[in-house]
Amino acid sequence: MRSKQEKRIVSPALLLNLLACCCAIAVVTSTASSALRVSSTLHTQQSTTQPSAPAQTKPLPAPARWRGLIGEYGPDNAILLILEKDGKLCALFKHVNFEPLDEVSKNVFRFPAQGTRAGQQLIFTRDARGRATQVEVETVVRQRRQIEPESGNQLRVKPLRPVVELMKEAMAAQPPPEKGDFRQADLVELIKLDPTIKLEIRYATTNNFLGTIFYSEARAFMQRPAAEAVVRVNRKLRAQGYLLLIHDAYRPWYVTKVFWDATPDDKKVFVADPSKGSRHNRGCAVDLTLYDLKTKKPVEMVSTYDETTARAYPDYPGGTSLQRWYRKLLRDAMEAEGFTVYEAEWWHFDYKDWQKYRIGNETFDQIGSR
């Protein structure tokens, strides 16, 4: 949702110096604030606690029988993270003590013989779908933290006012004035530069954090240098069996204003402040993921798109080896072409020259008519 310039839009000013992010996100559970505190902890401790970076060789998928166990358990001050790494189910206590587990049975695992928890067992309880609801370690029961959308789809936010009203007000307003020398805008459509790029523009559908259509057309524009860099990334990835799937790129300023005005104060960290604009507004930010040419589907990342939880961090240690490998593949490819990943969203990338462009407010049809 957000953008990094202010620092950004959709996810935030996020805890600890995370200023706002560029992609619109949503949280409707009562655990939203604690999830944010967790994400801050993960971000600050990641360098010493996360599993080693994905190897160059593509990992195998985690066993299906483990998928329902992977997640977070316990309170904010004693989080137990269950993840898969190198074909082993692993436990990470308080984001510090990382230990591989030995499988005893479908729901029972044991800590290794050498270690501070030698001989102790983890006993998982699952629901009818096979998803763990809690884990018991030495008589201490930790409930599963509801930080991810159980459906695997989009989290939602209830707008403060009807979006239709806010849209009308925003379209009548003007972006903030800016001083300085800026480049002439040259927004170009990504798929016209490379027709193989895939699109899934969430804000042209109701599958977004406000459940409302914001774009009349499912199109993606960027300033020409940034767009050409995206094309180069797509070509390199295609040689490896993947394409880029775009969720959002240039975003008119009035849409950013609607996001801000619609979002409750306790979730303002997930949207960009329209008084500052966002990098999406400048045509230099893009939200994207990988599309697998073999399966004809988007790859499965550690979190869903526009998710406002700890899982969205680009260095979040959880998930599976394969998910983290995909995340790193995308990040490495984008950074090689001058993009920087946003601190709180693995899918959001800012182009290096974003500050050289003004905040834009043109609609897609206005751009296309030039």
Side-chain angles (χ1 to χ4, degrees):
M1 293 186 265
R2 203 186 261 265
S3 152
K4 203 169 170 180
Q5 140 199 15
E6 3 158 6
K7 263 180 171 182
R8 293 207 17 161
I9 166 175
V10 141
S11 272
L14 251 110
L15 316 171
L16 288 183
N17 299 335
L18 290 176
L19 300 163
C21 164
C22 290
C23 311
I25 302 179
V27 178
V28 291
T29 67
S30 60
T31 59
S33 60
S34 53
L36 288 175
R37 290 193 294 273
V38 174
S39 60
S40 176
T41 302
L42 285 170
H43 185 62
T44 57
Q45 296 181 330
Q46 68 193 23
S47 61
T48 58
T49 64
Q50 73 172 18
S52 57
Q56 292 184 352
T57 302
K58 182 179 178 180
L60 294 173
R65 66 185 183 277
W66 295 352
R67 296 303 299 272
L69 307 180
I70 293 172
E72 293 185 7
Y73 301 81
D76 290 356
N77 62 351
I79 296 173
L80 169 59
L81 184 63
I82 301 296
L83 61 138
E84 179 271 331
K85 179 180 181 292
D86 300 335
K88 296 280 288 186
L89 198 68
C90 302
L92 183 61
F93 278 96
K94 298 183 180 180
H95 315 300
V96 176
N97 301 314
F98 177 77
E99 298 185 74
L101 303 172
D102 296 322
E103 188 171 13
V104 178
S105 65
K106 178 181 178 181
N107 296 321
V108 180
F109 290 78
R110 181 184 296 117
F111 286 97
Q114 291 75 33
T116 58
R117 297 178 181 272
Q120 294 183 14
Q121 291 188 333
L122 298 90
I123 304 173
F124 293 92
T125 300
R126 303 181 191 236
D127 60 19
R129 298 169 299 169
R131 185 171 182 269
T133 58
Q134 66 178 41
V135 61
E136 179 180 345
V137 182
E138 289 296 289
T139 72
V140 177
V141 176
R142 292 175 170 84
Q143 299 297 319
R144 187 186 192 99
R145 298 168 61 85
Q146 302 303 320
I147 66 166
E148 70 268 18
E150 292 189 28
S151 65
N153 203 354
Q154 181 70 52
L155 293 164
R156 293 290 174 87
V157 158
K158 183 179 180 180
L160 291 173
R161 293 168 51 200
V163 174
V164 174
E165 293 180 11
L166 296 174
M167 186 78 78
K168 185 179 298 185
E169 293 176 5
M171 295 190 74
Q174 294 297 319
E178 296 183 285
K179 296 180 180 180
D181 295 326
F182 296 94
R183 290 179 181 173
Q184 180 68 36
D186 186 15
L187 292 168
V188 294
E189 192 163 7
L190 291 175
I191 61 170
K192 288 187 177 179
L193 293 183
D194 186 346
T196 68
I197 291 175
K198 300 291 183 178
L199 299 182
E200 187 188 273
I201 307 301
R202 293 288 183 89
Y203 300 130
T205 74
T206 58
N207 186 23
N208 56 63
F209 81 123
L210 288 172
T212 302
I213 294 175
F214 291 94
Y215 301 157
S216 60
E217 302 170 294
R219 304 172 74 180
F221 298 86
M222 296 189 76
Q223 302 292 353
R224 187 174 296 276
E228 291 174 345
V230 168
V231 168
R232 291 194 294 272
V233 173
N234 191 61
R235 289 173 179 167
K236 291 177 181 177
L237 288 172
R238 185 168 53 203
Q240 300 177 60
Y242 304 96
L243 294 174
L244 292 176
L245 175 67
I246 310 296
H247 289 310
D248 196 24
Y250 163 74
R251 178 185 305 149
W253 174 84
Y254 76 87
V255 176
T256 293
K257 179 170 171 54
V258 175
F259 289 172
W260 180 264
D261 293 341
T263 302
D265 289 344
D266 65 333
K267 299 179 179 64
K268 280 284 199 288
V269 293
F270 304 133
V271 291
D273 184 346
S275 69
K276 300 176 182 178
S278 78
R279 297 181 186 184
H280 277 293
N281 300 155
R282 300 174 190 278
C284 287
V286 61
D287 299 340
L288 74 179
T289 188
L290 296 174
Y291 180 89
D292 192 320
L293 284 169
K294 184 175 181 180
T295 64
K296 307 299 182 184
K297 295 178 181 179
V299 305
E300 183 181 62
M301 293 290 192
V302 177
S303 83
T304 56
Y305 169 64
D306 256 5
E307 183 175 312
T308 55
T309 76
R311 304 192 316 162
Y313 275 82
D315 295 302
Y316 178 70
T320 70
S321 296
L322 182 57
Q323 291 169 344
R324 295 188 299 273
W325 184 87
Y326 283 136
R327 186 180 64 189
K328 187 175 188 298
L329 176 65
L330 176 64
R331 180 174 178 174
D332 287 350
M334 294 294 289
E335 289 181 343
E337 293 295 339
F339 288 90
T340 302
V341 70
Y342 177 55
E343 299 100 315
E345 297 171 342
W346 60 260
W347 59 83
H348 177 100
F349 291 86
D350 295 310
Y351 190 61
K352 60 184 179 180
D353 291 339
W354 65 266
Q355 73 277 9
K356 297 180 180 180
Y357 296 91
R358 288 186 182 276
I359 294 171
N361 202 27
E362 286 185 289
T363 60
F364 291 175
D365 58 326
Q366 291 172 329
I367 298 170
S369 66
R370 287 205 245 104

